[in-house]
Amino acid sequence: MSVNLITKYAGQFEKKMRMQSLVFGKGLNKTKFTGANTVKTLTPVTQTPNDYNKEAEGSRFGQLAELEDEENTYTLQYSKSNNIAIDKENNTEQLQLKRSFEMMKEEIELEYVPMMDKHALACYAGTSGVSTSEDGEIDGTKAFAMFTTAKKAMVNAKTFNGGKNCVAWVSSTVLNDAVLDCGKFLNLEKIGTKALVEGACGKLAGFSIIEVPDDYMPENVNAIFANLKVCMNPIKFKTLRILSEHPDVDGAVLQPHFRYGCFVEKTNVKGIHVSYVEAPSE
């Protein structure tokens, strides 16, 4: 017998994934599924303002132009699943549901979230056209310059708006060995200020700083700066069920299967800035 958990639990598990995430769950760009593995975005195409002309033979407001949208489609890159045996001692449906829920929570915290965060950072750094800089090995004397370089690049690209939307993901080593020693780091906990972005530990040059484990950061990268509005991270659960009669297990089996993707909005790739130790070879 199969017990389908999609309707009741899929939304809860997705919410838990996003809340526990340091990277993946922070994306603010909304997407719409258009197929089993694809999402799309619609970006309005702005128009150049006209000079208001009282002497015009036609409309004083200028030539009429139709509002258009730029449509972009993205294909989910990742498809993940589990096949988890549940002990026979939990042989009632109620106990199976409880144990399955506990197992999924553990999988999310210990496996899914770290995996998805690593994929998101690798995606942001690897997207063609993002802003980059070669900043060398970062120490206390270089940390502030790394941040201001990123800020200038994003301001000039009109993708920096400060406040709650702009973040810097910094490896634990770079944060503790360099950023904290630069003399300008604003520690939110010490001054009793609430973080504008969940998980942020401080601010510098207008960026909310999120500390991530060293192994989350792609090789040769010091930090990744982002306007969260350009980050897209859709999730879609395809299967979430318990098989109570399985030929290979003396008990039951939990089978989750979901797809997800990590993208930078194609019309605003300069909303990401990557600080490299050494500029990557072409």
Side-chain angles (χ1 to χ4, degrees):
M1 184 181 70
S2 175
V3 180
N4 190 345
L5 307 179
I6 281 282
T7 302
K8 187 172 182 179
Y9 291 117
Q12 295 183 44
F13 290 142
E14 178 180 342
K15 183 178 180 180
K16 187 174 182 63
M17 285 175 173
R18 294 189 184 278
M19 289 183 64
Q20 291 194 344
S21 167
L22 296 172
V23 186
F24 184 92
K26 306 301 182 190
L28 295 177
N29 196 299
K30 303 299 182 182
T31 56
K32 180 180 180 180
F33 278 93
T34 57
N37 295 308
T38 57
V39 295
K40 75 173 182 179
T41 59
L42 293 174
T43 305
V45 179
T46 57
Q47 301 175 10
T48 303
N50 301 309
D51 291 323
Y52 184 79
N53 184 3
K54 292 183 179 180
E55 308 301 326
E57 295 183 2
S59 173
R60 296 181 178 186
F61 294 87
Q63 185 176 355
L64 183 65
E66 186 175 350
L67 177 65
E68 297 180 350
D69 291 319
E70 180 177 330
E71 180 176 325
N72 285 296
T73 301
Y74 307 80
T75 301
L76 305 186
Q77 308 106 312
Y78 306 103
S79 182
K80 301 296 180 181
S81 62
N82 287 93
N83 206 23
I84 304 172
I86 303 171
D87 295 341
K88 185 178 180 179
E89 61 183 289
N90 296 332
N91 55 9
T92 68
E93 181 175 330
Q94 182 179 1
L95 288 174
Q96 287 175 355
L97 285 170
K98 181 179 178 180
R99 183 56 180 151
S100 297
F101 195 82
E102 292 171 351
M103 284 298 302
M104 277 300 297
K105 288 196 296 184
E106 291 181 14
E107 283 292 318
I108 288 170
E109 181 178 354
L110 301 178
E111 298 292 341
Y112 292 167
V113 168
M115 172 186 67
M116 295 162 78
D117 281 354
K118 291 177 184 179
H119 286 163
L121 288 175
C123 165
Y124 301 157
T127 297
S128 177
V130 300
S131 174
T132 64
S133 58
E134 182 179 3
D135 298 314
E137 296 282 353
I138 301 300
D139 57 25
T141 65
K142 296 180 179 179
F144 188 63
M146 175 181 69
F147 274 76
T148 56
T149 296
K151 182 177 182 179
K152 286 187 289 186
M154 292 174 66
V155 167
N156 288 328
K158 301 178 180 64
T159 58
F160 182 89
N161 58 10
K164 65 181 181 180
N165 293 330
C166 290
V167 304
W169 289 290
V170 183
S171 70
S172 184
T173 293
V174 171
L175 176 68
N176 289 285
D177 292 355
V179 176
L180 297 185
D181 291 335
C182 76
K184 299 181 183 293
F185 175 78
L186 183 62
N187 188 314
L188 299 180
E189 184 177 357
K190 285 187 177 181
I191 65 174
T193 300
K194 184 178 180 180
L196 293 174
V197 177
E198 188 71 27
C201 61
K203 295 201 71 172
L204 185 60
F207 291 96
S208 294
I209 299 175
I210 300 177
E211 180 181 9
V212 298
D214 289 355
D215 66 349
Y216 278 26
M217 199 62 67
E219 187 177 356
N220 190 38
V221 172
N222 293 309
I224 297 176
F225 302 82
N227 182 327
L228 294 176
K229 286 190 173 182
V230 311
C231 301
M232 301 182 291
N233 306 110
I235 304 175
K236 188 173 187 178
F237 271 89
K238 301 295 293 181
T239 305
L240 185 58
R241 67 189 179 193
I242 297 176
L243 301 180
S244 59
E245 296 178 6
H246 194 284
D248 300 323
V249 176
D250 188 12
V253 173
L254 171 64
Q255 293 182 327
H257 171 212
F258 68 101
R259 296 184 174 121
Y260 67 96
C262 311
F263 312 103
V264 178
E265 186 183 15
K266 293 176 182 178
T267 56
N268 282 304
V269 292
K270 298 300 183 184
I272 300 289
H273 180 88
V274 184
S275 168
Y276 286 101
V277 178
E278 295 180 357
S281 56
E282 297 295 334

